[in-house]
Amino acid sequence: MSSSYIGSKWSKTLPLLRNAETRRWVPETARLSKGKLRSLLARYETVYVKPDLGTFGIGVMRVRRLTGGGYELRHGTKRATYPNYERLYGTVARLRRGRPYLAQQGIKLLKHRGRRFDVRVMVQRSPRMRWEATGVIARVAAPGKVVTNYHNGGTPMPLGRLLKPYLSARGISRQIRSLKRTGVKVAKVIKRRFPGINELGVDVGLDRTFTPWILEVNTKPDPYIFRKLPDKSVVRKVIRYARAYGRIR
Ligand SMILES: Nc1ncnc2c1ncn2[C@@H]1O[C@H](COP(=O)(O)OP(=O)(O)O)[C@@H](O)[C@H]1O
Ligand SMILES: [Mg+2]
């Protein structure tokens, strides 16, 4: 695989944490250990636990601290509760099967008809070699799932439509412009650390305050998800740019 592909989520998170502008958009993240997950759960009600080398939402778990004591663990469409931390971590450790994992502050994502959604921002080098956010699309989680990935049952939808219950038309345009600026900023920071990259798919979660939380940065993002938008000019541009830097023929 070319040098433009970076698998490790942790190595892509570090440059974002070290940059003064991007660090505030990164949920607290650590390499998974028994002690780290425990301390994150002391600070946050929900914590995501995910493979360092994962894709498509596979292997992603969500842990939630229950008000009456104990913990809830969700993965796939499974849900189980545990009376104490030892029992919870026993299952997490079994499911991770020795693989490197991360633990990350859970973000309370906005919802569409009761289902969580997040946003994919496509950022690409234009044929004139400038970073440009070329596509923005929301992904709505399948019922009963804690991940929004298209390859995990998620439904891609225009973000503007999903934000209607939350914002005015002007607020929506402003929000989308702001997400694009965030994406371009992230790309510039990642590019300094990994000079081979020409494109990035930034997974952004929005909470009730519309803070953009960077959940993950993909160095080999799927250009074709933008086919799902009614506005076909978006996918055309994404593909035109991808051809210009030789990602697709
Ligand atoms: N910290 C988090 N808070 C809320 N949701 C999250 C968090 N991390 C991941 N998710 C959900 O899980 C999905 C998959 O996680 P991600 O880190 O993008 O891994 P993958 O490489 O499998 O896509 C995200 O798109 C999002 O829906
Ligand atoms: Mg992702």
Side-chain angles (χ1 to χ4, degrees):
M1 201 156 270
S2 76
S3 64
S4 59
Y5 179 73
I6 319 297
S8 164
K9 285 183 173 50
W10 181 239
S11 70
K12 291 178 283 187
T13 303
L14 287 176
L16 298 175
L17 286 173
R18 287 178 184 143
N19 181 278
E21 208 176 332
T22 53
R23 67 182 306 161
R24 64 193 140 117
W25 301 322
V26 183
E28 187 170 352
T29 310
R31 284 191 271 199
L32 176 64
S33 68
K34 192 173 183 183
K36 265 295 171 198
L37 179 59
R38 197 203 314 258
S39 63
L40 284 170
L41 280 165
R43 272 200 294 290
Y44 306 105
E45 189 193 336
T46 72
V47 175
Y48 270 73
V49 176
K50 48 195 183 182
D52 188 42
L53 296 171
T55 48
F56 304 156
I58 297 165
V60 173
M61 306 176 229
R62 191 188 79 179
V63 183
R64 191 158 62 93
R65 179 166 28 88
L66 300 172
T67 38
Y71 299 89
E72 175 202 67
L73 174 65
R74 295 181 58 177
H75 61 103
T77 52
K78 295 202 177 73
R79 180 182 175 278
T81 59
Y82 300 88
N84 59 49
Y85 185 75
E86 293 296 318
R87 299 276 284 273
L88 164 80
Y89 196 78
T91 301
V92 170
R94 183 165 55 71
L95 291 169
R96 97 187 266 195
R97 297 201 315 271
R99 293 168 295 177
Y101 255 74
L102 302 182
Q104 184 174 67
Q105 168 190 356
I107 304 304
K108 207 162 182 175
L109 301 178
L110 295 183
K111 288 186 175 180
H112 170 70
R113 299 188 176 155
R115 291 153 63 182
R116 270 157 249 289
F117 67 88
D118 65 6
V119 184
R120 166 61 61 88
V121 182
M122 184 78 167
V123 194
Q124 297 174 281
R125 294 246 278 171
S126 74
R128 300 164 113 183
M129 306 304 262
R130 290 177 59 83
W131 284 109
E132 204 178 303
T134 46
V136 173
I137 195 166
R139 305 169 309 172
V140 186
K145 290 214 175 170
V146 296
V147 300
T148 56
N149 304 63
Y150 176 50
H151 295 281
N152 214 310
T155 308
M157 286 180 76
L159 177 62
R161 198 187 298 169
L162 304 196
L163 289 179
K164 269 196 185 137
Y166 294 100
L167 293 169
S168 67
R170 274 190 67 198
I172 290 172
S173 326
R174 216 181 276 142
Q175 183 60 50
I176 291 175
R177 276 200 305 277
S178 155
L179 284 165
K180 288 182 166 182
R181 278 196 301 273
T182 299
V184 168
K185 180 69 207 174
V186 166
K188 288 178 176 168
V189 171
I190 294 285
K191 175 87 171 173
R192 261 176 249 147
R193 173 65 185 80
F194 303 109
I197 62 155
N198 292 308
E199 60 181 4
L200 224 51
V202 188
D203 291 343
V204 186
L206 293 174
D207 62 16
R208 273 176 306 182
T209 67
F210 303 101
T211 302
W213 292 100
I214 301 162
L215 305 179
E216 189 207 11
V217 166
N218 297 274
T219 52
K220 210 165 171 282
D222 173 13
Y224 301 109
I225 190 173
F226 295 98
R227 279 182 180 152
K228 303 288 174 189
L229 290 175
D231 177 2
K232 300 301 170 198
S233 69
V234 176
V235 70
R236 277 201 296 271
K237 185 180 212 178
V238 167
I239 291 187
R240 181 158 59 84
Y241 282 20
R243 284 207 179 100
Y245 50 75
R247 156 80 190 279
I248 55 178
R249 299 200 301 136

